[in-house]
PDB file of all heavy atoms in Angstrom:
ATOM      1  N   TRP H 771      14.921 -10.157  -6.323  1.00  0.00           N
ATOM      2  CA  TRP H 771      13.801  -9.218  -6.313  1.00  0.00           C
ATOM      3  C   TRP H 771      12.800  -9.533  -5.199  1.00  0.00           C
ATOM      4  O   TRP H 771      12.578 -10.702  -4.892  1.00  0.00           O
ATOM      5  CB  TRP H 771      13.084  -9.250  -7.661  1.00  0.00           C
ATOM      6  CG  TRP H 771      13.986  -8.983  -8.825  1.00  0.00           C
ATOM      7  CD1 TRP H 771      14.530  -9.910  -9.669  1.00  0.00           C
ATOM      8  CD2 TRP H 771      14.461  -7.716  -9.274  1.00  0.00           C
ATOM      9  NE1 TRP H 771      15.299  -9.292 -10.621  1.00  0.00           N
ATOM     10  CE2 TRP H 771      15.283  -7.943 -10.406  1.00  0.00           C
ATOM     11  CE3 TRP H 771      14.254  -6.404  -8.836  1.00  0.00           C
ATOM     12  CZ2 TRP H 771      15.897  -6.908 -11.097  1.00  0.00           C
ATOM     13  CZ3 TRP H 771      14.869  -5.376  -9.525  1.00  0.00           C
ATOM     14  CH2 TRP H 771      15.688  -5.628 -10.641  1.00  0.00           C
ATOM     15  N   GLN H 772      12.203  -8.477  -4.659  1.00  0.00           N
ATOM     16  CA  GLN H 772      11.201  -8.668  -3.615  1.00  0.00           C
ATOM     17  C   GLN H 772      10.218  -7.504  -3.633  1.00  0.00           C
ATOM     18  O   GLN H 772      10.549  -6.408  -4.107  1.00  0.00           O
ATOM     19  CB  GLN H 772      11.868  -8.763  -2.246  1.00  0.00           C
ATOM     20  CG  GLN H 772      12.663  -7.538  -1.839  1.00  0.00           C
ATOM     21  CD  GLN H 772      13.423  -7.762  -0.548  1.00  0.00           C
ATOM     22  OE1 GLN H 772      14.053  -8.792  -0.340  1.00  0.00           O
ATOM     23  NE2 GLN H 772      13.351  -6.778   0.348  1.00  0.00           N
ATOM     24  N   PRO H 773       8.989  -7.732  -3.133  1.00  0.00           N
ATOM     25  CA  PRO H 773       8.021  -6.621  -3.060  1.00  0.00           C
ATOM     26  C   PRO H 773       8.473  -5.588  -2.044  1.00  0.00           C
ATOM     27  O   PRO H 773       9.206  -5.901  -1.097  1.00  0.00           O
ATOM     28  CB  PRO H 773       6.722  -7.310  -2.630  1.00  0.00           C
ATOM     29  CG  PRO H 773       7.156  -8.576  -1.981  1.00  0.00           C
ATOM     30  CD  PRO H 773       8.425  -9.010  -2.667  1.00  0.00           C
ATOM     31  N   VAL H 774       8.023  -4.342  -2.220  1.00  0.00           N
ATOM     32  CA  VAL H 774       8.480  -3.255  -1.372  1.00  0.00           C
ATOM     33  C   VAL H 774       8.119  -3.491   0.095  1.00  0.00           C
ATOM     34  O   VAL H 774       8.851  -3.067   1.000  1.00  0.00           O
ATOM     35  CB  VAL H 774       7.908  -1.910  -1.883  1.00  0.00           C
ATOM     36  CG1 VAL H 774       6.409  -1.819  -1.633  1.00  0.00           C
ATOM     37  CG2 VAL H 774       8.647  -0.730  -1.270  1.00  0.00           C
ATOM     38  N   GLY H 775       7.010  -4.166   0.346  1.00  0.00           N
ATOM     39  CA  GLY H 775       6.599  -4.412   1.723  1.00  0.00           C
ATOM     40  C   GLY H 775       7.569  -5.269   2.504  1.00  0.00           C
ATOM     41  O   GLY H 775       7.559  -5.264   3.735  1.00  0.00           O
ATOM     42  N   ARG H 776       8.440  -6.009   1.805  1.00  0.00           N
ATOM     43  CA  ARG H 776       9.423  -6.855   2.473  1.00  0.00           C
ATOM     44  C   ARG H 776      10.469  -6.037   3.226  1.00  0.00           C
ATOM     45  O   ARG H 776      11.174  -6.565   4.073  1.00  0.00           O
ATOM     46  CB  ARG H 776      10.104  -7.744   1.420  1.00  0.00           C
ATOM     47  CG  ARG H 776      10.951  -8.887   1.963  1.00  0.00           C
ATOM     48  CD  ARG H 776      10.108 -10.072   2.363  1.00  0.00           C
ATOM     49  NE  ARG H 776       9.332 -10.613   1.268  1.00  0.00           N
ATOM     50  CZ  ARG H 776       9.794 -11.456   0.341  1.00  0.00           C
ATOM     51  NH1 ARG H 776      11.070 -11.816   0.341  1.00  0.00           N
ATOM     52  NH2 ARG H 776       8.983 -11.931  -0.601  1.00  0.00           N
ATOM     53  N   PHE H 777      10.574  -4.744   2.899  1.00  0.00           N
ATOM     54  CA  PHE H 777      11.595  -3.911   3.528  1.00  0.00           C
ATOM     55  C   PHE H 777      11.193  -3.410   4.909  1.00  0.00           C
ATOM     56  O   PHE H 777      12.017  -2.848   5.624  1.00  0.00           O
ATOM     57  CB  PHE H 777      11.906  -2.689   2.651  1.00  0.00           C
ATOM     58  CG  PHE H 777      12.576  -3.031   1.355  1.00  0.00           C
ATOM     59  CD1 PHE H 777      11.977  -2.709   0.149  1.00  0.00           C
ATOM     60  CD2 PHE H 777      13.800  -3.667   1.330  1.00  0.00           C
ATOM     61  CE1 PHE H 777      12.587  -3.015  -1.060  1.00  0.00           C
ATOM     62  CE2 PHE H 777      14.418  -3.989   0.131  1.00  0.00           C
ATOM     63  CZ  PHE H 777      13.814  -3.661  -1.064  1.00  0.00           C
ATOM     64  N   VAL H 778       9.919  -3.559   5.280  1.00  0.00           N
ATOM     65  CA  VAL H 778       9.456  -3.001   6.544  1.00  0.00           C
ATOM     66  C   VAL H 778       8.785  -4.071   7.381  1.00  0.00           C
ATOM     67  O   VAL H 778       8.463  -5.161   6.891  1.00  0.00           O
ATOM     68  CB  VAL H 778       8.466  -1.839   6.311  1.00  0.00           C
ATOM     69  CG1 VAL H 778       9.164  -0.677   5.635  1.00  0.00           C
ATOM     70  CG2 VAL H 778       7.282  -2.282   5.495  1.00  0.00           C
ATOM     71  N   LEU H 852       2.757  -5.762 -10.780  1.00  0.00           N
ATOM     72  CA  LEU H 852       3.603  -5.981  -9.609  1.00  0.00           C
ATOM     73  C   LEU H 852       4.969  -5.371  -9.891  1.00  0.00           C
ATOM     74  O   LEU H 852       5.566  -5.629 -10.932  1.00  0.00           O
ATOM     75  CB  LEU H 852       3.748  -7.473  -9.308  1.00  0.00           C
ATOM     76  CG  LEU H 852       4.582  -7.847  -8.076  1.00  0.00           C
ATOM     77  CD1 LEU H 852       3.943  -7.293  -6.805  1.00  0.00           C
ATOM     78  CD2 LEU H 852       4.752  -9.359  -7.982  1.00  0.00           C
ATOM     79  N   LEU H 853       5.431  -4.548  -8.974  1.00  0.00           N
ATOM     80  CA  LEU H 853       6.786  -4.005  -9.053  1.00  0.00           C
ATOM     81  C   LEU H 853       7.626  -4.656  -7.967  1.00  0.00           C
ATOM     82  O   LEU H 853       7.224  -4.693  -6.797  1.00  0.00           O
ATOM     83  CB  LEU H 853       6.792  -2.492  -8.865  1.00  0.00           C
ATOM     84  CG  LEU H 853       6.214  -1.658 -10.011  1.00  0.00           C
ATOM     85  CD1 LEU H 853       6.236  -0.183  -9.644  1.00  0.00           C
ATOM     86  CD2 LEU H 853       6.986  -1.880 -11.293  1.00  0.00           C
ATOM     87  N   LEU H 854       8.783  -5.159  -8.355  1.00  0.00           N
ATOM     88  CA  LEU H 854       9.692  -5.804  -7.415  1.00  0.00           C
ATOM     89  C   LEU H 854      10.996  -5.015  -7.349  1.00  0.00           C
ATOM     90  O   LEU H 854      11.432  -4.418  -8.342  1.00  0.00           O
ATOM     91  CB  LEU H 854       9.969  -7.249  -7.844  1.00  0.00           C
ATOM     92  CG  LEU H 854       8.751  -8.179  -7.870  1.00  0.00           C
ATOM     93  CD1 LEU H 854       9.152  -9.547  -8.413  1.00  0.00           C
ATOM     94  CD2 LEU H 854       8.138  -8.316  -6.487  1.00  0.00           C
ATOM     95  N   TRP H 855      11.606  -5.055  -6.171  1.00  0.00           N
ATOM     96  CA  TRP H 855      12.780  -4.236  -5.892  1.00  0.00           C
ATOM     97  C   TRP H 855      13.959  -5.130  -5.509  1.00  0.00           C
ATOM     98  O   TRP H 855      13.792  -6.130  -4.813  1.00  0.00           O
ATOM     99  CB  TRP H 855      12.479  -3.275  -4.752  1.00  0.00           C
ATOM    100  CG  TRP H 855      11.331  -2.374  -5.059  1.00  0.00           C
ATOM    101  CD1 TRP H 855       9.997  -2.691  -5.034  1.00  0.00           C
ATOM    102  CD2 TRP H 855      11.392  -1.031  -5.502  1.00  0.00           C
ATOM    103  NE1 TRP H 855       9.237  -1.626  -5.417  1.00  0.00           N
ATOM    104  CE2 TRP H 855      10.063  -0.589  -5.711  1.00  0.00           C
ATOM    105  CE3 TRP H 855      12.448  -0.136  -5.730  1.00  0.00           C
ATOM    106  CZ2 TRP H 855       9.765   0.707  -6.146  1.00  0.00           C
ATOM    107  CZ3 TRP H 855      12.156   1.146  -6.154  1.00  0.00           C
ATOM    108  CH2 TRP H 855      10.830   1.550  -6.363  1.00  0.00           C
ATOM    109  N   PHE H 865      12.900   4.335   2.052  1.00  0.00           N
ATOM    110  CA  PHE H 865      11.707   3.532   1.805  1.00  0.00           C
ATOM    111  C   PHE H 865      10.570   4.368   1.215  1.00  0.00           C
ATOM    112  O   PHE H 865       9.906   3.968   0.260  1.00  0.00           O
ATOM    113  CB  PHE H 865      11.254   2.865   3.107  1.00  0.00           C
ATOM    114  CG  PHE H 865       9.957   2.135   2.993  1.00  0.00           C
ATOM    115  CD1 PHE H 865       9.884   0.919   2.335  1.00  0.00           C
ATOM    116  CD2 PHE H 865       8.803   2.675   3.526  1.00  0.00           C
ATOM    117  CE1 PHE H 865       8.678   0.244   2.212  1.00  0.00           C
ATOM    118  CE2 PHE H 865       7.592   2.007   3.418  1.00  0.00           C
ATOM    119  CZ  PHE H 865       7.528   0.793   2.756  1.00  0.00           C
TER     120      PHE H 865
END
Side-chain angles (χ1 to χ4, degrees):
W771 305 100
Q772 60 186 45
V774 70
R776 192 80 59 82
F777 293 120
V778 295
L852 182 62
L853 289 177
L854 297 176
W855 301 77
F865 174 74

